[in-house]
Amino acid sequence: MAKRKSMGLNAVLSGIKTIFSVIFPLITIPYVTDVLSQDNYGKYNFSYSVMQYVAMFAALGINTYAIRECAKVRNDRAKLDQTASEIFTINVIATIASYAVLAIVLLIPFFRPYRAAIVILCINVLFTTLGCEWIYSAYEKYFYITVRSLITHVLSLLLLFVLVRKEDDILPYCAVTVMATSSGNLLYLIGRRNYARIRFKITDGIKRHIKPIMTMFANTVTTSIYVNSDVLILGFLTTDSIVALYSTSAKIYTIVKNVLAAVITVSVPRLSSYWANKDTEKFNSTCHRVFTALMVLGAPAMIGLASLSKNVILLITKPKYVDATFSLQILSVGLLFSVFAWFYKSCILIPTGNEDKILRATVVASILNIGLNFALIPFLKQDAAALTTLIAEAICLGFAFHYGKKYYKLNIKLKDWLSVLIGCVLILITCICVPMFIHRNIFIVMVACSASVILYFATLFLFKNSVAVMGLKLVKKKLKIGA
């Protein structure tokens, strides 16, 4: 049996990868928004949104499904080769079909100004299919995934400064975006043979995967509707400048959300394995650790980001994007809804085979999201898009919690809830008071964040918050302090 990695270490590695993915946009967004014209930046975001839809249809529901199924059989190489090849075959067929539909769509006159950018960005789709990153996740090879991410992002950053120099360099920017992902997937393609022999082979075995994959695909589609339709509807009903404003706030929100969700990502293979082996004790204890960690980290992130929205936008972009402040504040409130909905869906309902329950939630949320977008965007523009995203995430959380409570019972100690609440109040006070004494934006952010972190974790330790205490014990154990 393969030796299992520490889930804590996996979470740290995934966190490092995600943080580096945060640093990359923090460097590129200010540079790109300064170099490209606001209209060209809006065109890029619209084209990127179209690419995401192509990628979604090419991937179906394969990534999460493949991780779950391959994690179950990773100790049997013959079964793993068969399972991985069957899933890969479905993925290739879906990719070819997606490219065919894209070719037809690009003939529509409306897409003519965006055609070249969309074609370049969609190169990512092919390399994502060939890379099969899910096989590495099933084996919990997060060290390799992290190192690969670091290398490709550094190379892409260098290319950005070399190739994107003028306000009309939208196509070179698209090429750099492709480089950031495709080069890494090329490395995955080269190295995947060390874990499984994956081949394109149409057999009767692929039939068993169709129903669960299509159910997960339906979940992906409906989730993507309320995530990506905002930009598309903004593009149709407003201007490229409005798209740029909302895209700025949405990217910042997504960055923070993905950092928080790093622990969710690494827990899926482990939880799938525990549930498949009927080890409910380990399943529940792992879910508890993940939930409490998200609570301790997610609540202060929401308060801090909402309080410093204007300062964060001015720090990573230009004053012309300051109108994105309120939409970012709205999305900040939706941060907790989104992260905990993600937890219940990925950590509980997916491993237990209840993806059909997720579908019910996302269908309702998506229908409401689209309707509200068309009704509100003409009046509230980017703020309406943020508001409808918040509502959709809240609905998904409500449904996911309702179905997930059967498998995982919340049992959080009062002192843990109370310590987080008091800590968040201190963060809010800090973020309000700091700008009264400091006026330079970069120092406002630095001082407010530093003071908030110190006050928050001091509060957690004062109340002996279980997550903080456990984290300290783990650090001492690793450093062999006090043992």
Side-chain angles (χ1 to χ4, degrees):
M1 180 178 290
K3 181 181 179 180
R4 286 190 166 173
K5 316 295 188 300
S6 163
M7 202 173 78
L9 177 60
N10 287 342
V12 170
L13 290 171
S14 181
I16 292 173
K17 173 180 174 290
T18 305
I19 290 172
F20 203 85
S21 297
V22 170
I23 295 175
F24 184 71
L26 288 178
I27 297 173
T28 60
I29 290 177
Y31 180 79
V32 171
T33 54
D34 185 44
V35 173
L36 295 183
S37 67
Q38 193 167 6
D39 282 347
N40 277 333
Y41 186 57
K43 287 179 180 178
Y44 166 82
N45 283 291
F46 182 80
S47 301
Y48 190 86
S49 182
V50 173
M51 182 276 292
Q52 287 180 308
Y53 276 104
V54 176
M56 176 183 67
F57 280 93
L60 297 177
I62 285 172
N63 188 62
T64 302
Y65 175 76
I67 292 173
R68 184 182 74 183
E69 295 304 305
C70 290
K72 292 178 180 178
V73 297
R74 63 186 177 186
N75 296 317
D76 187 326
R77 181 60 184 264
K79 288 184 178 179
L80 178 63
D81 289 349
Q82 178 183 355
T83 299
S85 295
E86 290 168 351
I87 295 173
F88 174 70
T89 299
I90 297 172
N91 201 175
V92 171
I93 293 172
T95 300
I96 295 172
S98 298
Y99 274 133
V101 173
L102 175 64
I104 296 172
V105 170
L106 291 181
L107 296 177
I108 300 173
F110 174 84
F111 289 95
R112 185 175 294 113
Y114 309 95
R115 191 173 295 161
I118 292 173
V119 169
I120 293 173
L121 289 170
C122 284
I123 295 173
N124 266 334
V125 178
L126 174 63
F127 281 94
T128 299
T129 298
L130 297 177
C132 299
E133 181 180 349
W134 38 265
I135 197 67
Y136 294 87
S137 296
Y139 269 105
E140 301 184 42
K141 298 295 182 179
Y142 293 106
F143 179 78
Y144 178 76
I145 293 173
T146 301
V147 171
R148 187 244 15 147
S149 178
L150 299 183
I151 293 174
T152 55
H153 276 87
V154 169
L155 291 175
S156 300
L157 186 61
L158 295 175
L159 286 174
L160 175 69
F161 294 133
V162 172
L163 299 178
V164 182
R165 308 291 293 274
K166 303 187 296 294
E167 68 174 18
D168 59 349
D169 278 344
I170 179 175
L171 296 185
Y173 182 43
C174 291
V176 170
T177 302
V178 171
M179 173 64 184
T181 303
S182 297
S183 57
N185 283 313
L186 181 60
L187 294 177
Y188 285 146
L189 174 61
I190 295 172
R192 74 186 193 189
R193 68 187 66 180
N194 296 322
Y195 306 102
R197 187 183 180 190
I198 303 175
R199 298 174 296 170
F200 178 84
K201 186 177 182 182
I202 299 177
T203 64
D204 290 337
I206 66 175
K207 294 179 182 179
R208 67 189 176 100
H209 304 291
I210 299 298
K211 183 178 179 179
I213 283 178
M214 294 310 296
T215 301
M216 289 190 177
F217 174 56
N219 287 324
T220 302
V221 171
T222 49
T223 300
S224 180
I225 285 173
Y226 68 76
V227 171
N228 296 321
S229 66
D230 301 332
V231 172
L232 285 175
I233 296 174
L234 280 171
F236 283 116
L237 299 182
T238 63
T239 65
D240 287 332
S241 295
I242 296 298
V243 172
L245 289 174
Y246 178 71
S247 296
T248 299
S249 58
K251 283 183 178 179
I252 296 171
Y253 158 78
T254 302
I255 286 169
V256 178
K257 181 175 70 173
N258 288 341
V259 171
L260 293 173
V263 67
I264 296 176
T265 303
V266 303
S267 67
V268 173
R270 189 72 55 87
L271 288 168
S272 298
S273 178
Y274 287 152
W275 188 260
N277 292 311
K278 299 182 179 359
D279 194 339
T280 54
E281 183 178 349
K282 289 184 178 179
F283 179 86
N284 286 319
S285 64
T286 301
C287 284
H288 178 75
R289 291 200 303 271
V290 174
F291 183 92
T292 50
L294 290 174
M295 179 185 71
V296 167
L297 298 175
M302 176 190 71
I303 298 299
L305 185 59
S307 303
L308 297 174
S309 291
K310 181 178 179 180
N311 306 93
V312 171
I313 288 173
L314 291 175
L315 181 65
I316 66 176
T317 62
K318 297 296 178 181
K320 61 185 177 182
Y321 289 93
V322 73
D323 287 340
T325 298
F326 190 53
S327 61
L328 179 56
Q329 290 174 330
I330 295 172
L331 290 173
S332 300
V333 177
L335 191 63
L336 275 186
F337 292 111
S338 177
V339 169
F340 284 113
W342 196 344
F343 163 78
Y344 274 100
K345 289 188 289 186
S346 295
C347 293
I348 298 176
L349 297 180
I350 292 296
T352 57
N354 284 282
E355 49 268 14
D356 59 316
K357 303 294 194 306
I358 302 174
L359 182 58
R360 299 177 189 178
T362 50
V363 166
V364 174
S366 297
I367 292 173
L368 183 59
N369 180 267
I370 292 176
L372 289 176
N373 271 331
F374 277 110
L376 299 178
I377 281 177
F379 305 101
L380 301 178
K381 299 181 174 59
Q382 70 272 13
D383 296 336
L387 179 61
T388 57
T389 296
L390 185 155
I391 293 171
E393 297 287 13
I395 290 173
C396 278
L397 174 58
F399 274 87
F401 174 77
H402 174 71
Y403 293 121
K405 65 183 180 181
K406 173 182 177 181
Y407 304 97
Y408 167 64
K409 303 292 184 182
L410 275 177
N411 185 26
I412 309 300
K413 296 178 181 179
L414 177 61
K415 66 176 182 179
D416 291 341
W417 288 110
L418 189 60
S419 61
V420 170
L421 177 62
I422 295 175
C424 287
V425 171
L426 293 177
I427 291 174
L428 179 61
I429 294 172
T430 300
C431 293
I432 292 174
C433 292
V434 168
M436 296 179 181
F437 303 97
I438 301 175
H439 303 292
R440 190 169 179 180
N441 188 61
I442 187 172
F443 292 123
I444 291 176
V445 175
M446 291 175 61
V447 173
C449 289
S450 300
S452 294
V453 169
I454 293 172
L455 288 172
Y456 181 71
F457 281 100
T459 303
L460 296 186
F461 285 116
L462 180 64
F463 280 83
K464 296 183 179 180
N465 180 283
S466 59
V467 176
V469 172
M470 181 179 66
L472 182 61
K473 288 181 179 179
L474 289 174
V475 170
K476 286 183 176 181
K477 182 179 180 180
K478 291 295 181 182
L479 297 177
K480 296 182 180 180
I481 297 176

